[in-house]
Amino acid sequence: MADLFKNVPVIKYEGAGSDNPFAFKYYNPDEMIDGKPMRDHLRFAMAYWHTLVALGADQFGVGTMDRPWNALSNPMDVAKMRVEAAFEIMNKLSIDYFCFHDRDVAPEADTLSETNKNLDVIVELLKQGMKDNNKKLLWGTASLFGNKRYMHGGATSCNADVFAFAAAQVKKAMEVTNYLGGEGYVFWGGREGYDTLLNTDMGLELDNLARFFHMAIDYADEIGFKVPFYIEPKPKEPTKHQYDFDTATVCAFLQKYNLMDRFKMNIETNHATLATHDVQHELRVARINGLFGSVDANQGDMLIGWDTDQFPTDIYTTTKVMYEVIMAGGFTTGGLNFDAKPRRASSDTDDIFIAHIAGIDAFAKGFKIARRLIEDGVFENFIADRYSSYTTGIGKDIVEGKVGFKELEAYTLKMGEVTTNKSGRQEYLETLLNKYMFE
Ligand code: XLS
Ligand code: NI
Ligand code: NI
């Protein structure tokens, strides 16, 4: 293992009583739960772009973080040191998976073929590192937003040459993801959206986006890349209106363009809140539509209107996420990808580890709480009872499609007024949630 972070030990589980900042308090990776170790329930992934690339720059100032690779000037040397750092970080944190964009791992050159060569060099190092360190790729993706050619979007650009370039880039990104045994492939909308309808042919842009996805499926089939494609919804930023606004919007798009079979969702907490949903809503919409896939685990700040990508430390939220994950049957190809970065002012290298420990522990704790809530049927029994009128009598007839408006009118005339409506007991249920949170 490389030794770029000498001051940081391998992080061990020490239990809730520990006050060692470099220890897990709740995450015990090898603890067996329901027949499998905790690490396989949670399937944590490190996001290459935040952890190895971002240095704390924002709209108002430059980076604040010194990393060992900052001292290097040749971009390929930087990329190579980042590979070493990636495996050291994952090893020290017991993180089994990572996720990347093509341009996070290897620098872009003057031509696509040179860029692809750079990528191939680094992909070989990643492949070797994955083998040596027993790490896996949760998903890969392509950055169709960083380069200036994508100023009008990638697959939804007004410029057909850009559409072609984006296709070539995604083709290569799928090939390397496949080569590395990636378990999924993500399409986050990047700049697929618009800022003003004064210059936008929305119908053509959406048709083209669907054409792009069909081409991706065709090519994946051709090369035997069988993993799920995930769409990661986000309502705004960088464009005013992103086309993959939220899960319901994406679901309608997939249905309209006959893409439901091959796609699932990658739900990000901070994107959900930007869409004025909470993450549980997004996960639920995904689940009931057969689109549950993977999670970008982070949190936003409700008082700041952008994607702050903070490490998830709110245990109510991690509990609700894990509740939906368990109810969906657990992760299969998906996992919890920390699409999160330490705050700009958390500038020490140690903060990379402290931040991941915080997120990992918050999810481990949330997982355990969610599991007990489900095991004890706390909400599910209440819900079953709340809807019990649909299991007998007229309710059963409605559900089974045996009655229409005429029969329901006859039933109502006979019934007279509705005499009972049970309380929804929201506050009681919130108290029960608190009991499980704190006992
Ligand atoms: C940006 C997105 C991005 C995706 C991958 O807001 O969260 O990081 O997860 O392209
Ligand atoms: Ni994300
Ligand atoms: Ni995001």
Side-chain angles (χ1 to χ4, degrees):
M1 176 157 81
D3 207 5
L4 296 165
F5 309 101
K6 287 193 183 58
N7 299 333
V8 180
V10 172
I11 310 302
K12 300 254 166 54
Y13 169 70
E14 290 186 4
S18 167
D19 42 17
N20 175 3
F22 294 105
F24 294 125
K25 318 298 180 300
Y26 303 106
Y27 183 55
N28 185 1
D30 299 315
E31 181 182 335
M32 295 299 286
I33 298 175
D34 300 331
K36 60 179 184 182
M38 217 169 168
R39 63 190 330 137
D40 292 351
H41 285 281
L42 296 168
R43 292 168 58 91
F44 289 123
M46 178 195 69
Y48 217 95
W49 53 103
H50 285 309
T51 300
L52 283 316
V53 181
L55 295 172
D58 68 9
Q59 295 95 319
F60 303 97
V62 296
T64 53
M65 300 165 183
D66 272 328
R67 301 292 187 240
W69 48 91
N70 287 5
L72 306 177
S73 50
N74 178 319
M76 281 301 275
D77 291 342
V78 172
K80 287 174 188 169
M81 191 184 278
R82 283 178 179 149
V83 173
E84 288 181 33
F87 290 107
E88 186 178 343
I89 293 169
M90 286 188 274
N91 281 337
K92 286 193 166 163
L93 287 162
S94 291
I95 292 179
D96 296 330
Y97 291 87
F98 65 106
C99 301
F100 68 82
H101 302 86
D102 48 3
R103 302 301 175 249
D104 304 335
V105 295
E108 194 152 10
D110 290 341
T111 63
L112 182 62
S113 65
E114 284 172 61
T115 302
N116 286 349
K117 273 186 209 143
N118 285 348
L119 188 55
D120 286 336
V121 170
I122 302 299
V123 162
E124 279 312 319
L125 298 179
L126 288 169
K127 178 116 181 157
Q128 190 59 44
M130 290 167 72
K131 200 168 152 234
D132 295 345
N133 297 282
N134 195 20
K135 300 297 173 200
K136 291 171 272 188
L137 180 61
L138 192 67
W139 48 258
T141 187
S143 167
L144 304 183
F145 46 89
N147 189 289
K148 71 175 185 202
R149 84 177 69 86
Y150 296 120
M151 61 188 267
H152 303 299
T156 64
S157 174
C158 51
N159 182 343
D161 285 345
V162 176
F163 184 103
F165 205 112
Q169 204 181 315
V170 169
K171 173 178 174 290
K172 180 71 179 174
M174 292 197 312
E175 288 163 6
V176 302
T177 302
N178 194 24
Y179 180 65
L180 294 174
E183 297 182 24
Y185 186 89
V186 160
F187 292 93
W188 164 59
R191 293 184 193 276
E192 317 296 15
Y194 67 86
D195 286 317
T196 173
L197 287 174
L198 298 179
N199 64 15
T200 301
D201 185 341
M202 190 198 279
L204 178 64
E205 291 199 1
L206 284 164
D207 287 349
N208 280 348
L209 186 58
R211 290 185 180 105
F212 195 88
F213 288 146
H214 277 289
M215 290 178 198
I217 293 173
D218 289 347
Y219 187 64
D221 288 347
E222 211 177 306
I223 63 170
F225 186 40
K226 295 190 189 321
V227 303
F229 287 163
Y230 303 120
I231 291 192
E232 183 179 321
K234 183 175 185 180
K236 55 187 165 190
E237 193 192 310
T239 70
K240 180 180 77 171
H241 188 107
Q242 299 274 119
Y243 288 132
D244 49 15
F245 191 96
D246 63 359
T247 305
T249 307
V250 171
C251 186
F253 173 90
L254 294 175
Q255 282 167 340
K256 174 175 175 187
Y257 292 104
N258 196 20
L259 288 160
M260 282 293 277
D261 288 354
R262 192 50 184 274
F263 280 84
K264 301 218 176 298
M265 306 299 300
N266 181 39
I267 305 289
E268 179 167 321
T269 311
N270 203 162
H271 296 182
T273 51
L274 286 178
T276 61
H277 298 310
D278 78 15
V279 62
Q280 193 177 12
H281 168 91
E282 286 292 89
L283 287 164
R284 185 71 61 95
V285 176
R287 168 152 76 87
I288 64 174
N289 286 292
L291 292 171
F292 169 78
S294 200
V295 171
D296 266 9
N298 65 10
Q299 68 186 30
D301 186 313
M302 294 307 152
L303 301 183
I304 298 182
W306 69 83
D307 196 16
T308 57
D309 287 340
Q310 291 168 226
F311 271 86
T313 54
D314 179 73
I315 298 184
Y316 281 96
T317 304
T318 60
T319 299
K320 288 175 185 172
V321 169
M322 290 314 297
Y323 194 95
E324 294 303 315
V325 171
I326 298 170
M327 291 299 289
F331 288 121
T332 48
T333 53
L336 294 168
N337 169 47
F338 288 115
D339 193 351
K341 56 190 173 194
R343 297 306 77 206
R344 183 169 189 267
S346 300
S347 53
D348 287 353
T349 303
D350 289 4
D351 288 306
I352 297 176
F353 295 88
I354 307 255
H356 278 90
I357 293 168
I360 288 171
D361 267 340
F363 264 97
K365 183 74 183 163
F367 170 53
K368 288 202 160 178
I369 298 168
R371 225 183 121 258
R372 286 178 43 240
L373 285 165
I374 292 168
E375 205 171 75
D376 294 353
V378 178
F379 304 125
E380 297 311 311
N381 290 345
F382 186 92
I383 291 170
D385 180 61
R386 187 162 183 242
Y387 293 88
S388 58
S389 67
Y390 288 96
T391 58
T392 56
I394 194 70
K396 192 161 186 257
D397 289 346
I398 292 171
V399 169
E400 289 175 354
K402 288 189 179 146
V403 290
F405 273 12
K406 280 185 288 180
E407 292 78 9
L408 290 171
E409 182 193 46
Y411 174 88
T412 304
L413 289 171
K414 210 167 130 205
M415 168 179 72
E417 190 44 82
V418 173
T419 51
T420 49
N421 241 333
K422 285 191 230 161
S423 168
R425 289 198 187 279
Q426 180 171 335
E427 298 77 5
Y428 163 70
L429 294 167
E430 286 168 349
T431 308
L432 286 183
L433 174 61
N434 279 347
K435 177 164 134 46
Y436 278 75
M437 295 295 299
F438 297 112
E439 74 185 4

